[in-house]
Amino acid sequence: MSSVSPYQDLIACLHCDNLCKYQHLSPGQKAICPNCGSVLLYRKVNSIERTLAIALAGLLFFIPAITMPLVGISVAGQYSDASLLACISILIDDGFPVSATLLFMFTLIVPFIKLSAAGYLSISLKYNKVTPNLLMFFRSYKVLDNWAMLHVFFLGVVVSLYKLLSLAQVSIGIGLVSFALLLLCTTLISVTMDEHFIWQTMEDKLVR
Amino acid sequence: MYVSAKSIGLGICPCCKKINNMWSDKEQCERCGATFSIRKPYTLQYTLAWTLAALIMFIPANMLPMMVVYTMGNDTRSTIMEGVTIFMQSGMYPVAFVIFIASFVIPVGKILCLLILVTQARSAKPKNLKLMTKLYSIVEVLGPWSMLDVFVVAIMAAVVNLGFISSVEAAGGITFFGLTVIFTMFASASFDVRLLWDKTDNNFE
């Protein structure tokens, strides 16, 4: 565990397993696999501060995004609207627990874990409090990477807006605005977070 | 020149991308603590199994209605393709196009791509390696978008709730459709593209 391995200066491509020499990158530079052309590494600018700011903003938008109404319609004087939580509860009431679980996981739980893990990681790294449990947080962040579907849900809202326009008068709620901002934050996090840099920092502080 | 990490006994951690010495088949990453194998174990079996499961689920997903619309006491049930044709008839081509792509082209394309990748990985001399690697990256990225139709039905069912005038209820198709999407995502997650490159015997390209 503590011995410094002689492979410190090597890096392998995740797509073709090609071994390359590790080059130290300064912020803003990219390394590309000479064999298959995938991006090996990309060192980002001001990554920790930006990630922290965006994660906190995202967590602020989270509660209005799930509890406030997304879309409302009115026909002949009657009005009805629904929030994200209402979508989930209606699926349970209609007898579709599987779909309700999928919706719950992909639009609530996964984004929430990702946002809070990103926020916790950047706070700890910024104030130099690196503990072994951070590894677990970052691992869970990586595992959930492909399973957040806020963007798909947002497109779903847009498509339903189109559908509803032919039925009734449609109004957009505060929930939809917060949801759009939440989506923006989760997308920006994957843009600003520099995974290799974080792993490298944690390794330097923990292993040696 | 192409030297694979596997050929000199090294493995790359899928979680943090650290190079580890592979003393055995399965190692714990010395940096992040994740357990991993040098290649994903039983990758072809798992991929094929999930893909076939997705294919089977795709049949009821297209046969059963996705939602039921009640207007003034009448109910209309529509499957995915019927939903698309309704949009075409009412002239909303962009929406019809988006739904068609997300709920038909992407799942079918994903299943086909995975089957092609598996057969290529099984063959003695895989061809078009760069193209296949690209194909796999695309399959991985496009995965979640097929959930679109399930989400649309959920929103419609929750919002359109005006009693007798008009209301929407979800129907059986969405469960199977959701499962199709999940299964294809599991399939692409269990596939290992590096198997294709392993067959090149570390030759010069």
Side-chain angles (χ1 to χ4, degrees):
Chain A
M1 193 74 178
S2 60
S3 70
V4 179
S5 67
Y7 317 113
Q8 223 34 271
D9 58 339
L10 285 179
I11 168 158
C13 174
L14 263 188
H15 282 120
C16 69
D17 212 17
N18 186 26
L19 273 182
C20 311
K21 204 164 160 10
Y22 173 68
Q23 303 276 341
H24 185 76
L25 302 177
S26 41
Q29 282 186 317
K30 241 180 218 179
I32 289 173
C33 172
N35 186 46
C36 72
S38 322
V39 176
L40 289 171
L41 287 176
Y42 175 38
R43 177 93 156 79
K44 291 166 185 171
V45 189
N46 268 347
S47 130
I48 289 177
E49 286 81 2
R50 288 185 190 177
T51 311
L52 177 58
I54 294 166
L56 290 180
L59 286 171
L60 276 181
F61 289 127
F62 207 85
I63 293 169
I66 63 170
T67 53
M68 304 296 274
L70 296 164
V71 182
I73 57 165
S74 54
V75 182
Q78 280 196 319
Y79 178 80
S80 91
D81 58 13
S83 63
L84 181 47
L85 285 177
C87 290
I88 295 168
S89 68
I90 227 106
L91 280 181
I92 297 175
D93 289 345
D94 283 0
F96 298 100
V98 177
S99 313
T101 318
L102 294 182
L103 188 58
F104 183 63
M105 294 296 289
F106 298 150
T107 58
L108 278 182
I109 298 294
V110 172
F112 182 74
I113 296 179
K114 277 188 72 176
L115 277 177
S116 34
Y120 182 56
L121 270 167
S122 21
I123 287 186
S124 314
L125 285 172
K126 189 161 169 57
Y127 295 106
N128 255 327
K129 292 201 176 73
V130 183
T131 48
N133 67 1
L134 274 190
L135 291 174
M136 195 195 70
F137 269 91
F138 201 27
R139 277 219 307 272
S140 66
Y141 178 86
K142 284 292 294 170
V143 168
L144 296 177
D145 225 8
N146 211 10
W147 295 93
M149 298 190 184
L150 289 177
H151 51 315
V152 184
F153 188 81
F154 189 70
L155 185 63
V157 176
V158 174
V159 168
S160 344
L161 275 177
Y162 257 96
K163 282 196 177 189
L164 292 168
L165 275 174
S166 59
L167 279 175
Q169 222 172 356
V170 180
S171 59
I172 289 173
I174 301 175
L176 190 59
V177 179
S178 336
F179 191 84
L181 292 168
L182 171 65
L183 171 63
L184 189 70
C185 290
T186 52
T187 314
L188 280 177
I189 277 197
S190 48
V191 174
T192 57
M193 190 177 239
D194 192 338
E195 293 172 4
H196 180 77
F197 176 71
I198 294 178
W199 285 122
Q200 199 68 52
T201 321
M202 288 208 260
E203 184 180 28
D204 291 345
K205 299 231 160 88
L206 288 174
V207 177
R208 263 164 254 157
Chain B
M1 202 188 119
Y2 171 64
V3 176
S4 81
K6 190 190 179 189
S7 63
I8 52 173
L10 300 177
I12 177 167
C13 170
C15 187
C16 72
K17 304 182 184 175
K18 163 102 181 160
I19 298 242
N20 281 257
N21 226 328
M22 298 305 284
W23 306 113
S24 65
D25 262 3
K26 224 176 187 163
E27 283 289 331
Q28 202 177 17
C29 174
E30 58 186 50
R31 181 206 266 167
C32 73
T35 319
F36 70 102
S37 309
I38 197 157
R39 292 288 179 267
K40 290 174 191 165
Y42 302 107
T43 165
L44 295 182
Q45 285 93 324
Y46 274 121
T47 311
L48 202 57
W50 284 121
T51 312
L52 290 180
L55 197 60
I56 293 166
M57 287 298 146
F58 196 59
I59 297 165
N62 276 285
M63 306 283 281
L64 293 174
M66 292 289 274
M67 62 179 183
V68 192
V69 183
Y70 298 96
T71 23
M72 304 293 180
N74 297 321
D75 57 334
T76 346
R77 286 152 204 280
S78 54
T79 61
I80 296 172
M81 293 316 284
E82 283 167 6
V84 173
T85 44
I86 289 171
F87 274 122
M88 298 280 281
Q89 278 158 6
S90 51
M92 292 194 259
Y93 292 106
V95 189
F97 183 71
V98 167
I99 296 185
F100 182 67
I101 294 283
S103 42
F104 192 76
V105 177
I106 291 180
V108 170
K110 265 190 85 168
I111 292 172
L112 282 180
C113 285
L114 285 164
L115 290 176
I116 292 171
L117 285 167
V118 170
T119 43
Q120 282 290 316
R122 279 178 62 90
S123 74
K125 205 110 192 82
K127 282 174 273 208
N128 304 328
L129 290 180
K130 279 192 186 178
L131 180 72
M132 290 294 151
T133 312
K134 198 96 211 154
L135 206 62
Y136 179 69
S137 321
I138 293 172
V139 164
E140 263 191 322
V141 172
L142 284 184
W145 286 104
S146 338
M147 280 301 270
L148 181 70
D149 230 39
V150 177
F151 292 164
V152 170
V153 172
I155 298 162
M156 292 292 284
V159 174
V160 185
N161 219 339
L162 296 170
F164 181 72
I165 300 176
S166 179
S167 71
V168 171
E169 239 177 58
I174 57 166
T175 307
F176 294 102
F177 199 79
L179 288 177
T180 310
V181 180
I182 300 304
F183 288 168
T184 52
M185 285 182 75
F186 279 135
S188 71
S190 53
F191 187 73
D192 199 330
V193 245
R194 291 168 298 184
L195 278 187
L196 295 167
W197 293 93
D198 284 346
K199 299 270 177 67
T200 52
D201 301 328
N202 299 342
N203 280 338
F204 295 100
E205 268 250 83

